[in-house]
Amino acid sequence: MDCKTARQFLDFARSRRPELEAAELEELEAHLAECPDCGPLAQVERQMDSRLAQAMQAMPVPDGLRGRVLNRLQSERRVQVRKVRRWIAVPAAAAALLLASWVGWKLLEKPLRVDVEELAYADYGKTINPRPDQVEDYFRSEGITTVAPADANYGFLRDYYVDTYRGKRVPKLHFTDGKSSTVVYIFSTKDFDVAAANPPPDGSGWTAAISFDPSQKYGYLVIYLGEPALKVIPLKGQKPAN
Amino acid sequence: MGFPGSQAKVQSLVNEHYESLYRYAYRLSGTVADAEDLVQEAFCRAQEKLSQLREPERAKAWLFSILRNGYLHRLRMSQHPRLVPLQDMGDFAEPPENLPEVEPQKLQEALSELPEMFRTPVIMFYFEEFSYRDIAEQMEVPLGTVMSRLARAKAYLRARLFPPGRGHSGL
């Protein structure tokens, strides 16, 4: 190692934080041991560094400093908690005010008028001479596109509405002759495996049948409740009831 | 903040580093009161930003960085008296062969005369846990700049604290 390199390396060869590779350090020390110029220079440099480092760190720490720091940190935490509570309190207060306003509005709200004629005509209109397209229009207004069984006997239709099955909204038709009832679920074959529907158990007192619309997009699950079964939909080999 | 886990972490940082942080703060600022304020503020900042400390082994460097930033902020707000522009100092005399002990108070006086950009690297250098790279990262300057400033600062301290001696061969 030459003198120029040795003097450049000297700064990186601090005893407590050497930043040279072991081989470089060894080479440097070997040069310093032999060189009449670099050796004494390094000695003085290192001695100065040692003296300055000692003096730099010979600084008494004030009594109680640790405690004062910890107390200050605790105060800061309390201030932050109060700030967070304030941030929560403002929207919470606003929410409470809104809730109180809503409750107050509800309490002051007048009871709604019941119009019997309106209700009677609504139900009457639904089932007076119902037709498949009328039924389909109703379900469309409920947000469901479906195809009502075209050749069912709608003279026995007493009600139709949207039911919920397995999380899906399913059109349901209710037929009755006053003694027996027939329920027809209209399932979308995209959502339900109608063909795999399990048959009713023996002795259950009810029977069921399955048919499909011509496009096969909709399956009709027909459940006959009561005796004799009110057969309102012509299924395979079956005729509609009179 | 306020969660038991982070409180314990902050307390651990205080226990481990408050003394060296105080010494660094004192060497930077020159007064006991300022040093204590700087330490308290540094730990408060550290508590706020604890999530930024990703590598626990870098905690000391991180705390020193926070403290130095706090010190620089104060410096901008006030005027620093009696700074010696190192570029005007010319060549420095060589120290004697056997160097005397340095009085901590005299060291502080000499340090206070240095502009901050020279004072910080020399203080960090003598705390010895900091590599040149650490110092460069903290000061956000190139390594070469750190080496240059350190050399000038050390030369100044040498001239101030070790009066010229006899028969010494220099650089």
Side-chain angles (χ1 to χ4, degrees):
Chain A
M1 183 178 283
D2 56 70
C3 292
K4 185 179 174 187
T5 307
R7 289 175 190 189
Q8 285 172 345
F9 274 20
L10 200 53
D11 276 335
F12 295 96
R14 287 180 289 169
S15 58
R16 285 175 63 181
R17 193 63 166 90
E19 294 175 70
L20 296 175
E21 301 288 335
E24 288 168 333
L25 207 53
E26 205 178 307
E27 213 180 321
L28 171 65
E29 294 302 330
H31 177 86
L32 296 177
E34 291 167 1
C35 178
D37 294 322
C38 297
L41 174 76
Q43 196 179 356
V44 171
E45 282 287 326
R46 284 171 171 175
Q47 200 179 26
M48 189 186 83
D49 283 346
S50 171
R51 295 281 188 265
L52 285 175
Q54 243 175 330
M56 196 74 74
Q57 296 182 50
M59 167 54 49
V61 175
D63 285 337
L65 175 62
R66 181 179 161 276
R68 288 193 290 281
V69 169
L70 292 174
N71 286 341
R72 170 82 181 266
L73 289 172
Q74 197 172 28
S75 300
E76 288 290 312
R77 279 195 293 271
R78 281 197 211 110
V79 165
Q80 289 303 321
V81 167
R82 279 200 290 273
K83 275 186 192 168
V84 169
R85 282 190 186 146
R86 219 173 295 135
W87 293 336
I88 290 171
V90 167
L97 187 62
L98 272 172
L99 180 63
S101 304
W102 181 80
V103 168
W105 176 74
K106 278 292 188 189
L107 288 172
L108 291 171
E109 198 182 22
K110 284 184 182 172
L112 295 167
R113 189 173 67 87
V114 175
D115 189 326
V116 178
E117 191 175 353
E118 181 186 340
L119 287 171
Y121 272 110
D123 275 349
Y124 181 73
K126 211 173 161 191
T127 54
I128 186 77
N129 295 327
R131 299 184 310 276
D133 60 311
Q134 197 176 336
V135 170
E136 290 165 6
D137 283 346
Y138 167 77
F139 285 122
R140 197 173 299 114
S141 72
E142 292 291 322
I144 298 176
T145 301
T146 194
V147 171
D151 46 4
N153 190 334
Y154 285 89
F156 292 105
L157 185 65
R158 284 299 169 260
D159 196 7
Y160 46 99
Y161 50 89
V162 179
D163 203 351
T164 301
Y165 181 66
R166 299 225 192 276
K168 299 279 185 189
R169 300 173 73 227
V170 178
K172 185 175 177 181
L173 283 63
H174 183 213
F175 299 85
T176 186
D177 62 358
K179 287 183 281 196
S180 300
S181 295
T182 298
V183 173
V184 180
Y185 289 94
I186 307 177
F187 289 112
S188 161
T189 53
K190 186 168 68 69
D191 294 333
F192 292 92
D193 189 357
V194 187
N198 53 301
D202 289 336
S204 63
W206 49 277
T207 53
I210 293 171
S211 68
F212 294 88
D213 77 304
S215 71
Q216 300 287 304
K217 286 184 181 175
Y218 299 95
Y220 307 118
L221 175 61
V222 184
I223 303 176
Y224 303 105
L225 303 166
E227 289 286 340
L230 178 63
K231 294 186 179 173
V232 295
I233 293 182
L235 299 171
K236 278 184 182 176
Q238 288 180 322
K239 289 180 187 173
N242 292 322
Chain B
M1 181 173 313
F3 295 121
S6 65
Q7 278 185 38
K9 269 187 200 166
V10 171
Q11 183 151 350
S12 170
L13 286 176
V14 172
N15 292 342
E16 203 176 333
H17 301 295
Y18 83 99
E19 286 184 336
S20 56
L21 209 60
Y22 172 79
R23 292 188 180 107
Y24 177 53
Y26 180 85
R27 292 303 178 199
L28 273 182
S29 64
T31 73
V32 170
D34 284 346
E36 187 159 334
D37 280 348
L38 284 169
V39 168
Q40 290 195 18
E41 284 166 18
F43 277 117
C44 287
R45 286 284 161 280
Q47 179 169 256
E48 277 173 40
K49 297 178 190 305
L50 196 61
S51 58
Q52 291 179 7
L53 179 60
R54 303 287 167 84
E55 301 164 70
E57 62 274 15
R58 301 286 302 160
K60 185 168 182 174
W62 181 65
L63 288 169
F64 270 57
S65 174
I66 293 174
L67 189 138
R68 179 170 174 263
N69 287 337
Y71 170 70
L72 289 176
H73 179 74
R74 283 182 172 228
L75 208 58
R76 282 180 215 115
M77 300 298 166
S78 65
Q79 289 186 353
H80 196 83
R82 227 166 52 89
L83 290 178
V84 177
L86 287 196
Q87 59 268 28
D88 295 342
M89 289 204 68
D91 292 333
F92 300 114
E94 294 303 326
E97 280 182 3
N98 291 313
L99 300 179
E101 301 275 336
V102 176
E103 287 177 38
Q105 190 49 43
K106 287 223 181 304
L107 170 63
Q108 189 55 43
E109 284 171 14
L111 282 172
S112 300
E113 290 160 8
L114 283 172
E116 188 277 331
M117 67 163 109
F118 294 98
R119 192 174 346 125
T120 290
V122 80
I123 292 172
M124 292 187 74
F125 179 81
Y126 287 115
F127 272 85
E128 293 198 14
E129 284 83 355
F130 294 103
S131 66
Y132 287 102
R133 202 165 300 281
D134 286 337
I135 299 171
E137 273 175 18
Q138 286 246 5
M139 298 189 70
E140 295 177 347
V141 297
L143 192 63
T145 304
V146 169
M147 304 292 294
S148 163
R149 291 182 187 177
L150 195 53
R152 298 292 295 174
K154 282 174 71 176
Y156 177 73
L157 290 177
R158 186 165 45 206
R160 275 285 270 113
L161 301 170
F162 304 108
R166 58 185 198 278
H168 174 74
S169 58
L171 283 163

